[in-house]
Amino acid sequence: MKQAINRIWNPEMECMDIDVRREMQSQKLRETVKRVYDNVEMYRSRMIDAGITPDDIKTVDDLSKLPFTDKPDLRDQFPYGLFASPRKDIVRIQGSSGTTGMPIVSGYTQQDIDDWTEMVTRSVAAAGGSDEDIVQVTYGYGLFTGGLGLHQGASNVGAMVVPMSSGNTVRQINMMKGLGVTMIGCTPSYALHIGETIREMGLDIKDFKLKAGIFGAEPWSDNIRNRIEDLLQIDALDIYGLTEICGPGVSFECLEKVGMHVNEDFVIPEIIDPDTLQPLPYGELGELVFSTIGKQGMPMLRYRTHDLCRLHPEKCACGRTTVRMERIIGRTDDMLIIRGVNVFPSQVETVLTNIRGVSPHFLMVVDREGSTDRLEIQVEVTEEMMGDTISAMQVLQKEIGEKVKSTLGVAARIKLVDPKTIPRFEGKARRVTDNRIL
């Protein structure tokens, strides 16, 4: 594995004294609250209904007084209802594809673009990126923030950027090898697919110059990290973001790989109980909530991400003092309830990546027979296992079934399928098919 070197792009902000940072956050929060109160009807109405004014928000400790924002608010206010800047000052729109309904859009002033670029730049530097690197961006370009976001950050460190976008895996690999690409960015599931395809093409990863990858847009585990690092011989690092806040770069991993550093000079993170909506202390598992501070075009106050994770405040060995968030383990709105038990796809992934003879590709299919839920998990076996005996396959099937039941708390029918049977996706992996009428 080629050695990536941790770099801190902005030591003044990333390594700032915690108390000094908190004072800065409080000042920027006060300014943001006043901005949305003066310019966004929805926030003003909700604050009035809650009996508060901007004068009631003095420090970060007052954050819990503010109302929440959720994704339906963005749909209800589409297209410009949440903008806190005049449209003439909005220089870009980013958003979701709108494939499941009304699109989600966010407006950026030039200052917002510059701030977002700073956030992503820190993540590229943390992965070892510099002006000596060649970065291949395999996230999709367009309304989706992934492609342009990483492009901006890689350009800002001075790297040569290869804007491949998604698709055509063989061409991706040929460009990667031919240009001597040193860093890539894509979803972790697509990184796995690239690694597997390199092997299928009969290429030797030692002939590539890759040293690091920045992977996000979907939950993944340390077992998947290990698999990617083995296939591509790189440091595989996580990045987190969402269009509603800015895009990728809200938080990022350093080479210590002990959580993602939140860019706290631009966003304030909270963890809340998704049922009671009350704030939870550091270390507790709950729903991640963000408030932007300093964003001009479309600030967000207490935006509910529905992502489940934990926050940790301890200083990292890399030198950064920012709060770190653990990997996302699932989403409150992606959680399956099967026979009264909460089940997350990430739990199944953890089970499978610890079992020999299967790949990390799987599909959960949920049906209802009468009044009873039935869970089937389709699991790809490896090429090596395909040549094994029927009895060995039965033993493997039983092992998976037992470990799934022990981890999830519910029994599942395990169906072993041939290699390459489960669909691959260039964007976010789709792990669940729910056929129930709920």
Side-chain angles (χ1 to χ4, degrees):
M1 182 184 294
K2 297 174 182 63
Q3 185 64 45
I5 300 172
N6 177 68
R7 299 173 62 235
I8 299 179
W9 176 256
N10 190 336
E12 179 184 359
M13 290 298 174
E14 297 178 69
C15 306
M16 181 181 283
D17 177 84
I18 294 173
D19 292 332
V20 174
R21 178 183 292 120
R22 192 171 181 82
E23 250 187 68
M24 180 188 68
Q25 287 179 319
S26 294
Q27 179 184 340
K28 294 178 76 172
L29 176 62
R30 289 193 296 269
E31 294 169 355
T32 298
V33 170
K34 187 175 188 314
R35 183 180 187 87
V36 299
Y37 188 89
D38 290 343
N39 297 289
V40 182
E41 174 61 30
M42 186 194 79
Y43 280 121
R44 181 166 56 252
S45 297
R46 290 187 180 180
M47 290 176 67
I48 290 172
D49 289 344
I52 58 176
T53 70
D55 292 338
D56 296 310
I57 308 301
K58 295 179 172 58
T59 72
V60 174
D61 293 330
D62 296 318
L63 198 59
S64 60
K65 297 177 182 178
L66 293 167
F68 289 103
T69 313
D70 209 336
K71 183 164 285 189
D73 296 323
L74 278 77
R75 293 196 174 103
D76 293 342
Q77 299 295 323
F78 176 85
Y80 304 126
L82 292 177
F83 284 15
S85 293
R87 268 192 286 170
K88 67 180 181 62
D89 293 336
I90 302 296
V91 299
R92 191 190 300 175
I93 291 287
Q94 302 266 188
S96 69
S97 62
T99 54
T100 58
M102 186 70 74
I104 297 297
V105 298
S106 182
Y108 298 71
T109 65
Q110 186 56 55
Q111 184 61 56
D112 294 336
I113 295 291
D114 293 344
D115 289 347
W116 177 23
T117 298
E118 167 71 14
M119 295 164 80
V120 190
T121 302
R122 295 176 188 178
S123 71
V124 176
S130 72
D131 57 7
E132 297 181 354
D133 284 289
I134 303 173
V135 180
Q136 186 157 316
V137 180
T138 306
Y139 291 109
Y141 282 69
L143 276 178
F144 172 58
T145 55
L148 282 169
L150 187 57
H151 188 127
Q152 291 163 191
S155 293
N156 203 39
V157 298
M160 181 192 299
V161 180
V162 186
M164 288 293 293
S165 193
S166 56
N168 201 332
T169 305
V170 171
R171 184 166 180 250
Q172 297 269 4
I173 292 167
N174 288 335
M175 292 291 281
M176 206 176 291
K177 184 173 183 289
L179 293 173
V181 169
T182 59
M183 300 177 69
I184 61 171
C186 59
T187 62
S189 55
Y190 193 54
L192 275 176
H193 182 50
I194 288 173
E196 292 166 350
T197 306
I198 286 173
R199 287 193 174 181
E200 291 168 5
M201 292 171 66
L203 301 175
D204 189 340
I205 195 63
K206 292 178 183 176
D207 294 331
F208 290 69
K209 294 186 178 180
L210 292 170
K211 67 176 183 181
I214 299 174
F215 307 122
E218 64 187 23
W220 53 306
S221 65
D222 276 335
N223 290 321
I224 294 295
R225 187 211 302 273
N226 295 338
R227 177 65 173 158
I228 292 172
E229 291 187 339
D230 176 62
L231 283 169
L232 296 178
Q233 290 297 293
I234 61 173
D235 281 296
L237 303 174
D238 207 350
I239 188 171
Y240 176 87
L242 56 169
T243 301
E244 299 90 318
I245 302 302
C246 72
V250 172
S251 65
F252 59 90
E253 271 189 315
C254 67
L255 291 167
E256 297 294 329
K257 303 175 186 175
V258 288
M260 290 176 279
H261 294 275
V262 179
N263 278 308
E264 288 190 277
D265 48 329
F266 295 107
V267 295
I268 301 175
E270 297 176 83
I271 293 291
I272 64 167
D273 183 311
D275 296 320
T276 67
L277 305 185
Q278 293 303 305
L280 294 173
Y282 287 129
E284 291 287 320
L285 177 65
E287 181 182 335
L288 184 61
V289 171
F290 281 114
S291 297
T292 63
I293 45 176
K295 192 173 183 184
Q296 298 177 340
M298 200 175 89
M300 288 279 105
L301 291 181
R302 304 197 79 195
Y303 183 76
R304 296 185 61 185
T305 68
H306 296 279
D307 288 331
L308 295 168
C309 74
R310 296 177 175 86
L311 295 177
H312 298 285
E314 299 83 12
K315 181 179 178 179
C316 182
C318 73
R320 294 175 178 86
T321 57
T322 46
V323 164
R324 284 169 292 119
M325 53 180 274
E326 289 184 5
R327 271 216 176 94
I328 303 299
I329 68 162
R331 290 179 54 82
T332 59
D333 51 2
D334 282 349
M335 179 182 71
L336 291 168
I337 301 178
I338 300 174
R339 298 193 287 278
V341 178
N342 297 342
V343 174
F344 295 97
S346 57
Q347 294 173 296
V348 176
E349 179 184 284
T350 299
V351 170
L352 296 180
T353 50
N354 283 304
I355 296 177
R356 294 184 55 140
V358 298
S359 81
H361 303 289
F362 66 93
L363 179 66
M364 302 168 66
V365 181
V366 189
D367 286 290
R368 180 162 287 167
E369 295 179 352
S371 59
T372 304
D373 295 332
R374 181 174 68 86
L375 172 62
E376 175 184 274
I377 304 176
Q378 299 173 12
V379 182
E380 275 190 14
V381 297
T382 61
E383 295 284 356
E384 294 76 17
M385 179 56 68
M386 281 297 295
D388 230 319
T389 63
I390 293 176
S391 61
M393 296 283 273
Q394 290 173 335
V395 169
L396 177 62
Q397 195 172 31
K398 182 180 179 183
E399 179 188 1
I400 296 171
E402 289 175 348
K403 289 186 177 179
V404 163
K405 185 175 181 180
S406 173
T407 301
L408 270 61
V410 295
R413 176 177 179 264
I414 307 301
K415 181 180 180 181
L416 301 180
V417 300
D418 293 344
K420 304 296 181 184
T421 302
I422 305 297
R424 279 22 173 198
F425 298 96
E426 293 158 6
K428 297 182 182 182
R430 298 199 259 292
R431 304 292 198 192
V432 177
T433 298
D434 194 339
N435 297 321
R436 298 173 295 178
I437 301 175
L438 300 175

